[in-house]
Amino acid sequence: PADAVRHGVGYLPGDRKAGIVPDQSMAVNVALASLPALSRFGWCDHRAVKRAADDARRRLGIKCHSTTQPIRTLSGGNQQKALVARWLLSGVSVLLVDEPTQGVDIGARAEIHDHLRRFASTGGTVVFASSDLDEVLVLADRVLVLRKGEVGAELVLEQCPGLDRAALLALITGLSREPEHGDQPPPDREGVRV
């Protein structure tokens, strides 16, 4: 993990409980990947950590009574936003995300999507895996469908304007194939072309 961070890669696990330190404060959890930058002479600068956490709380809309509140007492969506804030604060350029919004409410889901899009729009790269096909269609620019340990299809969503959940599911299950360059893709049952 330390090598990955040094090379500008952050990771949000599919199970957010594996990413948080539950009994530590929201501030400490946000600052974990940035402790060297928030330390002076090898000692953690608690004021710098608090400033960074207050800024993350404001920018990402993390709802908590105080940044000193144990992160385990926050809702799942706010815990996930704190994990996103951790990597945004650290300055990584690549963010690997497994199941970005699993177990969060619809409001937090939209906010997390916005933060990931904003990160990508400022030059960052987000690589995510999701079992939620609606999330894939809303969030992804490019989709790699993995089937039997290999890439079964690669889609640039901008070039697939009619792609919907059913067509994507057909590609995943192998009931449909990715159109080859120059092919006219076959319509699915509802007439949507992939």
Side-chain angles (χ1 to χ4, degrees):
D3 287 343
V5 172
R6 238 186 338 272
H7 288 92
V9 179
Y11 173 66
L12 271 76
D15 178 4
R16 76 180 146 267
K17 291 178 183 168
I20 64 169
V21 182
D23 292 326
Q24 289 293 329
S25 68
M26 180 279 244
V28 167
N29 274 274
V30 166
L32 278 177
S34 303
L35 285 178
L38 298 172
S39 299
R40 294 175 58 186
F41 310 112
W43 294 91
C44 182
D45 181 345
H46 294 286
R47 283 182 287 195
V49 168
K50 181 171 178 4
R51 280 192 304 274
D54 286 338
D55 182 55
R57 179 183 180 184
R58 181 185 47 75
R59 285 189 309 125
L60 278 83
I62 301 169
K63 294 177 182 76
C64 59
H65 300 297
S66 163
T67 58
T68 61
Q69 180 178 349
I71 198 165
R72 68 177 153 66
T73 63
L74 274 59
S75 70
N78 286 303
Q79 289 177 7
Q80 190 74 348
K81 286 190 275 185
L83 289 175
V84 171
R86 174 188 298 168
W87 295 112
L88 297 181
L89 176 64
S90 75
V92 295
S93 55
V94 177
L95 193 51
L96 306 176
V97 187
D98 189 9
E99 301 291 350
T101 58
Q102 185 173 34
V104 304
D105 66 46
I106 196 162
R109 175 186 171 100
E111 289 178 75
I112 291 166
H113 286 175
D114 287 344
H115 297 307
L116 294 176
R117 277 192 206 96
R118 196 171 302 120
F119 174 73
S121 73
T122 59
T125 300
V126 178
V127 178
F128 75 97
S130 180
S131 56
D132 181 340
L133 299 185
D134 293 325
E135 180 166 67
V136 170
L137 292 169
V138 166
L139 195 56
D141 293 320
R142 188 172 67 165
V143 177
L144 296 177
V145 176
L146 301 178
R147 191 173 49 247
K148 295 182 180 177
E150 296 180 4
V151 175
E154 181 175 350
L155 305 167
V156 176
L157 294 187
E158 184 178 87
Q159 298 170 0
C160 303
L163 186 69
D164 67 358
R165 194 174 199 280
L168 185 56
L169 187 58
L171 285 169
I172 292 168
T173 58
L175 296 175
S176 177
R177 68 176 179 81
E178 178 186 10
E180 293 180 19
H181 187 68
D183 280 358
Q184 279 297 337
D188 73 1
R189 288 178 300 216
E190 297 172 347
V192 176
R193 298 180 79 78
V194 180

